[in-house]
Amino acid sequence: MKKFLFKTLYFFLPIIIISYPFDYIVSSYLNKSNRSLGEFEVMDDIYNSKANCDIAIYGSSRAWVHFDPKIISDSLNCKVYNFGNDGHAFDLLYLRHLEFLKHNNKPKTIILSVDVLSFRNPTGLYEAGQYLPYMLWNFDIERYTRSYNYYSRLEYFIPAVRYSGKRDELKIVSEYITKGVPAEKYRHNGYLGMDLEWNGDFDRVKAKMQAYRIKWDQERINLFDKFVNECKEMEINLILVYTPEYIEGQKFVTNRKELIKLYKKFAKKYNLKFYDYSNDEICFDKTLFYNAIHMNKKVAEIFTSKFSHVLKTELKIDR
């Protein structure tokens, strides 16, 4: 038996010695990427403790394209960072929250941009590559992404295994090694406004189906409840915001009003502020959106200024 163990160790030792430095080099270049809609940039700021802020903005794409941290920062004279995570439901927003708190100071205020997709049960791990540089031996990433069945258990715990077959990511790293990492950022403190016109995606969906009913996942709702409680315990001021959404898109989701009631119920239960802009005048002008749920850059920045004034009153800032 002893001889067998020595032979096994003799066989695997060179692989282990080579795989870990390979993993480290690939990860350290990949996390400098401005690809994946800027998610690497946000994660890199989080893991390098560069995301310390007074006000943290959470949410999906509706957060990172709707709230300009600079406008809020200039208006309230405080540090603001937008942690919006593209295409993710609340479980993975909560994962980013956990990683943020591990490596940065807790914020005084969290603004959570909620929407109809926050509690859905996604069919796959959207932009799964964004976790690659950070997932080795990270039990929280393993815990919150395993249910999506994208990565195997070995990929979370054996160095370099997860990069096997990842041609696009390895090509990016190869380019960075030979040409240098890009100096240009995709997002700025997590934000990027979209200077786009109405793209017709919603019109094409409506041509195929008249309405849509979203099925919400109770586990994600329970996790949201846990998150609200944790914010209370940490004395973090949590504010819920439903940013403007094109009125026809609102009507398209048949159970949208049920979800708004749920957010109001949470707000009442935990004495939270919930700012619902579902009836804001912006919602009735199609030209202010580039699809049914996202405002264009110009309007997003007007909205951010408008919301900054609300925050001044909410946070009792006299400036």
Side-chain angles (χ1 to χ4, degrees):
M1 184 64 181
K2 193 174 180 181
K3 190 175 180 182
F4 171 75
L5 290 175
F6 271 115
K7 282 187 175 179
T8 304
L9 182 62
Y10 183 76
F11 178 78
F12 283 107
L13 192 59
I15 297 175
I16 294 171
I17 290 172
I18 294 171
S19 65
Y20 185 76
F22 172 82
D23 189 294
Y24 177 81
I25 291 170
V26 172
S27 298
S28 62
Y29 274 98
L30 191 59
N31 66 17
K32 302 298 180 193
S33 171
N34 58 8
R35 312 280 178 94
S36 197
L37 297 173
E39 301 297 356
F40 289 120
E41 296 171 357
V42 176
M43 298 291 270
D44 193 51
D45 283 346
I46 288 174
Y47 287 106
N48 287 293
S49 304
K50 295 178 180 176
N52 285 296
C53 57
D54 301 298
I55 298 176
I57 299 165
Y58 290 179
S60 62
S61 58
R62 280 170 47 79
W64 69 264
V65 304
H66 283 176
F67 291 98
D68 183 345
K70 187 175 186 310
I71 292 175
I72 300 175
S73 180
D74 290 347
S75 178
L76 277 68
N77 192 29
C78 63
K79 291 183 179 179
V80 184
Y81 198 102
N82 191 327
F83 297 89
N85 200 175
D86 202 65
H88 281 338
F90 185 74
D91 54 336
L92 297 181
L93 304 184
Y94 182 73
L95 168 62
R96 179 163 287 187
H97 163 72
L98 292 179
E99 298 302 283
F100 165 51
L101 292 186
K102 280 182 202 171
H103 302 277
N104 299 270
N105 300 326
K106 71 173 184 178
K108 295 174 183 172
T109 298
I110 293 175
I111 297 168
L112 175 58
S113 173
V114 295
D115 56 52
V116 291
L117 302 175
S118 299
F119 300 138
R120 76 191 189 287
N121 193 358
T123 54
L125 186 59
Y126 181 68
E127 290 289 341
Q130 68 183 284
Y131 298 103
L132 283 169
Y134 321 103
M135 60 188 276
L136 184 65
W137 306 323
N138 187 318
F139 291 97
D140 279 329
I141 291 182
E142 191 258 348
R143 178 182 177 188
Y144 287 97
T145 60
R146 275 299 300 279
S147 62
Y148 289 85
N149 296 317
Y150 187 86
Y151 292 111
S152 70
R153 195 167 180 80
L154 289 179
E155 290 176 294
Y156 290 98
F157 298 106
I158 306 296
V161 170
R162 67 193 183 286
Y163 288 118
S164 175
K166 301 293 190 300
R167 292 185 179 181
D168 290 342
E169 286 78 6
L170 293 175
K171 185 179 177 184
I172 290 170
V173 171
S174 175
E175 287 176 2
Y176 290 174
I177 290 173
T178 55
K179 300 176 183 176
V181 297
E184 187 178 349
K185 295 281 188 181
Y186 185 78
R187 299 193 204 174
H188 303 281
N189 278 354
Y191 166 75
L192 180 66
M194 293 292 167
D195 194 11
L196 300 171
E197 295 181 349
W198 182 260
N199 62 20
D201 286 349
F202 178 63
D203 303 317
R204 286 186 283 276
V205 171
K206 276 209 76 176
K208 294 178 182 176
M209 54 196 297
Q210 289 302 306
Y212 182 64
R213 185 176 180 82
I214 296 177
K215 185 178 179 181
W216 294 305
D217 177 57
Q218 189 57 47
E219 285 189 18
R220 288 175 172 81
I221 295 174
N222 294 343
L223 182 63
F224 179 79
D225 189 83
K226 177 186 173 187
F227 164 73
V228 176
N229 267 302
E230 289 173 349
C231 286
K232 285 282 181 186
E233 289 170 3
M234 290 187 285
E235 298 183 336
I236 295 174
N237 179 28
L238 176 63
I239 297 171
L240 309 182
V241 185
Y242 203 113
T243 59
E245 191 174 73
Y246 178 45
I247 190 65
E248 294 302 320
Q250 295 184 32
K251 293 175 183 174
F252 184 66
V253 179
T254 57
N255 53 346
R256 185 179 185 279
K257 288 183 179 177
E258 294 172 31
L259 185 68
I260 296 294
K261 283 183 182 177
L262 181 62
Y263 288 132
K264 287 180 177 176
K265 185 178 174 183
F266 271 111
K268 185 176 181 182
K269 179 180 177 183
Y270 291 104
N271 193 27
L272 306 175
K273 284 288 185 182
F274 174 38
Y275 295 97
D276 179 14
Y277 289 89
S278 298
N279 293 311
D280 190 275
E281 59 184 352
I282 292 173
C283 302
F284 298 86
D285 188 344
K286 184 178 176 180
T287 65
L288 306 182
F289 296 82
Y290 63 89
N291 60 34
I293 59 174
H294 296 106
M295 295 181 280
N296 63 40
K297 182 177 187 289
K298 181 179 178 182
V299 182
E301 291 174 2
I302 291 172
F303 170 75
T304 304
S305 294
K306 180 178 176 178
F307 186 66
S308 295
H309 292 292
V310 173
L311 272 181
K312 273 187 180 180
T313 304
E314 170 63 28
L315 303 179
K316 296 181 174 59
I317 294 173
D318 184 18
R319 184 168 181 261

